[in-house]
Amino acid sequence: DGGITQSPKYLFRKEGQNVTLSCEQNLNHDAMYWYRQDPGQGLRLIYYSQIVNDFQKGDIAEGYSVSREKKESFPLTVTSAQKNPTAFYLCASGGLRETQYFGPGTRLLVL
Amino acid sequence: AQSVTQLDSHVSVSEGTPVLLRCNYSSSYSPSLFWYVQHPNKGLQLLLKYTSAATLVKGINGFEAEFKKSETSFHLTKPSAHMSDAAEYFCVDYQTGANNLFFGTGTRLTVIP
């Protein structure tokens, strides 16, 4: 069953806490992306990685960090510096000009 | 500047009637345009994409879109709405210069039985 998996489905963050969202793909794509979705808005790019061990900031990278140690995995950490983290987070893989394949998303809530 | 404008935030249609979701783009160069669908609490799924081959693009689930350069539009249509079409729809533009995707703010489609 090929595709992208994200976990957990729901995540709760306490004040001052860092949390990590998981994203795994078995589509053999070089490029992976993290988007943030807020109600009534389109998706906004947080970080992207074109290849292993390389990643670039997107439009709203402040308060987030990523790593890309393996082709299949692109975890996103929401740090305590992100003051408004409540959102729906979507991971995707594929080319920007080609079809992007999205995971089912993680909803992050603040306690 | 906003690259993609979805003209309606919410569209309601009766089951069996036509669907029209409007999108205007502002790319200067030949754009790559996409329509994605998102069901509640799910990821996005590609419906169709335009990459300068044919101006009328057919997608999955009976949807199609027509690229009109003179109107800078890429409206999504379906002849007959089904209950399962109720979802959020996003128009997306790939801009070569920015090497980035620009998402519209989405149109929520409600299908009334």
Side-chain angles (χ1 to χ4, degrees), chain A:
Chain A
D1 189 20
I4 299 184
T5 57
Q6 290 185 241
S7 61
K9 188 172 183 178
Y10 295 94
L11 186 58
F12 298 90
R13 194 191 90 164
K14 295 179 182 178
E15 196 79 31
Q17 185 183 38
N18 292 354
V19 292
T20 298
L21 286 61
S22 168
C23 177
E24 304 276 331
Q25 57 104 356
N26 61 7
L27 300 169
N28 201 34
H29 289 155
D30 287 316
M32 297 185 73
Y33 312 82
W34 274 106
Y35 295 94
R36 171 179 171 140
Q37 185 178 24
D38 294 282
Q41 297 190 35
L43 277 63
R44 293 182 289 169
L45 183 64
I46 305 173
Y47 267 98
Y48 66 98
S49 168
Q50 301 279 47
I51 200 167
V52 174
N53 291 324
D54 183 58
F55 48 83
Q56 306 294 329
K57 292 182 179 180
D59 302 318
I60 55 166
E62 186 174 348
Y64 300 96
S65 66
V66 293
S67 63
R68 186 83 187 279
E69 297 176 4
K70 298 187 300 181
K71 188 175 187 177
E72 302 79 18
S73 178
F74 190 40
L76 173 74
T77 296
V78 184
T79 74
S80 56
Q82 173 49 246
K83 298 306 179 187
N84 184 24
T86 299
F88 191 51
Y89 291 86
L90 288 161
C91 178
S93 71
L96 281 173
R97 197 164 192 170
E98 306 302 324
T99 303
Q100 289 221 317
Y101 295 85
F102 286 82
T106 293
R107 189 165 298 281
L108 177 60
L109 301 164
V110 177
L111 294 176

Side-chain angles (χ1 to χ4, degrees), chain A residues 35 37 40-43 45 50 59 88 90 96-100 102-104 107, chain B residues 30 32 34 36 38 41-44 46 49 90 94 96 99-101 103-105:
Chain A
Y35 295 94
Q37 185 178 24
Q41 297 190 35
L43 277 63
L45 183 64
Q50 301 279 47
D59 302 318
F88 191 51
L90 288 161
L96 281 173
R97 197 164 192 170
E98 306 302 324
T99 303
Q100 289 221 317
F102 286 82
R107 189 165 298 281
Chain B
S30 181
S32 291
F34 307 80
Y36 282 86
Q38 183 182 31
N41 295 309
K42 301 288 186 186
L44 278 68
L46 181 71
K49 63 181 177 182
F90 292 94
Y94 169 78
T96 304
N99 191 31
N100 203 352
L101 284 177
F103 287 78
T105 52

